[in-house]
Amino acid sequence: MATSVSSKQGKVKAAIVGGGVVGLTCAIALQRLGVPVELFEAAAHFGEIGAGVAIGPNAARILQSLGILDEICAKTGEPGLTMRSFLFVSGQEGHELLYEVQIAVSAYEQYPEEEGSNSLGAHRASLLDALVQFLDPNTAHFHKKCISLSTSERDPQRTTIHFADGTSYEADVVIGADGIHSSVRAAMIGEETSRPVFSNTVCYRGLFPYETAKAAGLKTDFTSGRPVIFTGRDKHLVVFGVRNATLINVVAFSADHNRPIGSTSLPSEGPWVKTVSQEEMMQEYAGWGSDVMILLKCIEKPSKWFIHVVHPPLDSYVKGDVALVGDAAHGMLPHMGAGAGQGIEDAYVLAQLLGQPQTTASNIETVLQAYDRVRRPRAQMVWDGSVRAGEIYDGYGEHGLSAEGVTEDLGRLWDPVWYHNLDDDLQSAVKWLRETSAFRQD
């Protein structure tokens, strides 16, 4: 593959490794800012595994600012931002309502146009398809599995990406958006310390027509747009509708909270995702309430996921002219429905910094440091909150699984995630770049 040589002034030339939701969002944001970018995907085409994905208000605002939210809703079969805040329900028979997540008054003051949580629950593959239509197709390259990075022999300020097919590509900045298995992260910090570890949590996933569950006697309503979390000791289920509530997405979790994250290793040759029998899944939740068992019975061929996370946290999301975004940087537990949102935030902030008029190949390393300064503390806060949320759902909160206990422990857990002003972060990053003289003072 031919490589282009950039000048030290003018727009930097970026290369993104990984064509998932975060990589595509980053590419779209860069293209809309006029930053040259090429995207490299290991697979033969764009595609996602998994069923439903939650896009919280923070990420929805980014998609809106990029001018792509309406088309995404249309493509994913959603009438708009119809997903509201969570309902917590006992997983035991009777399914007592334990807690309704409330929206902080301050959120209405900061974002007066919003009602409820203004989130999007979408089919993951449909979301990816929606994003693809906004990408310049000439910038996408497939069958490009990154195997290593090196300093360019022609220009020591550039990085060369080496692919499994023997080709390579040079860029002013390399962005690793290649997920929890990230080869860019491994190249950046070393294979032995790459840090994807088993979280001691598994989940069973399934997607099926809502009518199927109603015909089987399901009583819980999923037409209101409110995801339901069925709670219980060591286990919980997250259930919400997608495609305008015509389909039900179920993610059923089971965790060992008595072992520290990373203390248990899976066989190296074993898959992280596999199809298992319905009987195995049903046995895991034996004794739970009727609606839980109906939902699980509707999943004919459940997939079992061994959830891995990036742990311990990285010392930095950047090294030289290489930056990590999304799960490659901070793969986290999914218990706040915030992992995709944090990746979208990463993509937006990084694109905005790379698109600054004063960003050049000469100061790119400092610009990436500014990205790391604002993104790493925030993403780690959400990472920690996701661990805490899972503990509360599974009965390990300080006040237990009663309605009063869940209410006390959850509190306002989502407010700092959903209602965070990224413009303040960008202003802070630019201010720091001026203080370091990477950017000139206005």
Side-chain angles (χ1 to χ4, degrees):
M1 180 178 297
T3 60
S4 57
V5 179
S6 72
S7 67
K8 300 307 177 190
Q9 303 300 321
K11 295 292 187 183
V12 297
K13 291 179 172 58
I16 298 174
V17 177
V21 168
V22 175
L24 279 169
T25 302
C26 192
I28 294 165
L30 287 169
Q31 288 179 356
R32 300 210 161 187
L33 290 165
V35 177
V37 58
E38 303 290 328
L39 187 148
F40 300 93
E41 166 58 38
H45 53 79
F46 292 118
E48 282 276 17
I49 59 173
V53 60
I55 302 296
N58 55 316
R61 285 191 294 273
I62 292 172
L63 300 178
Q64 180 71 66
S65 73
L66 293 174
I68 62 178
L69 180 60
D70 290 344
E71 287 296 323
I72 286 175
C73 288
K75 187 75 172 180
T76 57
E78 302 297 334
L81 299 179
T82 56
M83 180 181 279
R84 301 310 186 203
S85 50
F86 303 104
L87 295 175
F88 287 84
V89 174
S90 170
Q92 300 306 303
E93 192 58 65
H95 301 303
E96 173 193 6
L97 177 64
L98 301 176
Y99 181 63
E100 298 184 50
V101 174
Q102 303 296 320
I103 305 304
V105 173
S106 60
Y108 292 118
E109 295 171 350
Q110 188 174 10
Y111 304 103
E113 74 282 3
E114 294 194 358
E115 299 178 2
S117 70
N118 277 23
S119 299
L120 175 67
H123 190 278
R124 187 177 289 270
S126 297
L127 174 60
L128 195 76
D129 289 344
L131 289 169
V132 168
Q133 66 185 326
F134 296 103
L135 181 74
D136 178 353
N138 295 318
T139 63
H141 311 277
F142 301 101
H143 296 292
K144 295 296 178 185
K145 178 177 175 57
C146 171
I147 56 173
S148 65
L149 305 177
S150 67
T151 301
S152 167
E153 295 180 358
R154 294 187 294 179
D155 184 346
Q157 287 191 304
R158 308 189 89 207
T159 290
T160 301
I161 311 169
H162 301 275
F163 300 106
D165 65 0
T167 62
S168 62
Y169 186 83
E170 291 183 7
D172 297 315
V173 57
V174 174
I175 301 168
D178 49 344
I180 191 71
H181 294 279
S182 178
S183 55
V184 176
R185 183 183 64 237
M188 196 175 94
I189 68 174
E191 192 74 44
E192 295 302 316
T193 56
S194 188
R195 305 186 190 187
V197 299
F198 181 47
S199 66
N200 302 321
T201 300
V202 301
C203 70
Y204 300 88
R205 293 179 179 263
L207 189 71
F208 49 83
Y210 189 11
E211 290 299 325
T212 300
K214 288 199 294 184
L218 181 74
K219 294 183 174 59
T220 303
D221 178 30
F222 291 100
T223 61
S224 67
R226 304 197 71 172
V228 175
I229 298 181
F230 293 94
T231 64
R233 190 69 176 178
D234 295 315
K235 302 173 179 64
H236 69 275
L237 290 82
V238 179
V239 187
F240 58 89
V242 298
R243 291 184 182 164
N244 200 20
T246 59
L247 298 175
I248 296 296
N249 181 69
V250 175
V251 190
F253 294 92
S254 178
D256 183 350
H257 293 278
N258 297 311
R259 297 184 182 184
I261 288 177
S263 63
T264 305
S265 297
L266 299 177
S268 58
E269 68 278 4
W272 289 8
V273 181
K274 63 181 181 180
T275 300
V276 297
S277 68
Q278 186 185 71
E279 181 183 8
E280 175 186 325
M281 177 183 63
M282 299 291 288
Q283 185 61 39
E284 189 74 39
Y285 298 89
W288 280 52
S290 55
D291 269 13
V292 168
M293 302 312 286
I294 287 170
L295 289 166
L296 295 177
K297 189 69 175 177
C298 290
I299 306 175
E300 296 181 359
K301 295 181 179 180
S303 59
K304 183 177 183 179
W305 296 58
F306 296 85
I307 300 175
H308 285 63
V309 296
V310 174
H311 181 75
L314 301 181
D315 296 328
S316 177
Y317 295 168
V318 305
K319 183 177 181 180
D321 55 8
V322 180
L324 301 174
V325 294
D327 284 351
H330 46 67
M332 62 184 68
L333 286 164
H335 301 318
M336 294 185 76
Q342 285 307 294
I344 290 171
E345 284 190 9
D346 291 342
Y348 178 78
V349 170
L350 182 56
Q352 291 293 318
L353 290 173
L354 293 178
Q356 291 289 313
Q358 295 187 59
T359 297
T360 68
S362 296
N363 64 14
I364 192 66
E365 292 190 16
T366 311
V367 171
L368 294 188
Q369 290 170 18
Y371 158 78
D372 181 67
R373 284 173 62 88
V374 297
R375 286 305 305 156
R376 188 156 46 90
R378 173 159 170 76
Q380 190 58 43
M381 178 272 291
V382 180
W383 196 103
D384 293 338
S386 297
V387 173
R388 181 176 171 229
E391 292 171 345
I392 296 169
Y393 305 166
D394 290 357
Y396 289 83
E398 182 180 353
H399 299 92
L401 278 174
S402 66
E404 296 79 9
V406 172
T407 300
E408 178 71 21
D409 288 336
L410 286 175
R412 309 228 60 89
L413 192 63
W414 280 270
D415 288 356
V417 180
W418 285 347
Y419 303 107
H420 177 77
N421 193 327
L422 280 184
D423 289 336
D424 289 345
D425 290 349
L426 284 168
Q427 290 176 14
S428 174
V430 171
K431 180 175 181 287
W432 180 78
L433 286 166
R434 289 173 180 149
E435 291 171 350
T436 61
S437 299
F439 285 3
R440 62 181 178 274
Q441 299 287 342
D442 289 339

